[in-house]
Amino acid sequence: MAETVSIKYGHYHVEPRRMEKILTQDINEHEIERIVKNREEFLDWMNQHFAYKTLLAPERYK
């Protein structure tokens, strides 16, 4: 599959014919909330264990 992925304008691009073969599934709101909660917990854990300092956003983004 890597041979069908290219970079255009700094973004990854996958051939559309390749995307047609990927099946998706519907998920309900509860599953979405569970996934988001688990991701936030994982990011918090990563920050607690591996972040040595906090980077602040530049003034133009505040």
Side-chain angles (χ1 to χ4, degrees), residues 15-29:
E15 292 180 15
R17 68 174 182 82
R18 191 75 173 170
M19 295 299 288
E20 292 173 4
K21 296 180 182 180
I22 297 174
L23 301 176
T24 60
Q25 62 184 11
D26 294 328
I27 58 174
N28 58 30
E29 290 293 323

Side-chain angles (χ1 to χ4, degrees), residues 3 8-9 11 14-15 17 21-22 24 26 28 37-38 40-42 45-46 48 50-52 54 56 58-59 61:
E3 67 277 356
K8 287 186 178 180
Y9 310 112
H11 299 284
V14 178
E15 292 180 15
R17 68 174 182 82
K21 296 180 182 180
I22 297 174
T24 60
D26 294 328
N28 58 30
K37 180 182 172 211
N38 288 340
E40 288 174 346
E41 288 177 2
F42 171 74
W45 183 88
M46 290 293 286
Q48 291 171 4
F50 298 106
Y52 301 109
T54 301
L56 300 175
E59 289 297 321
Y61 295 117

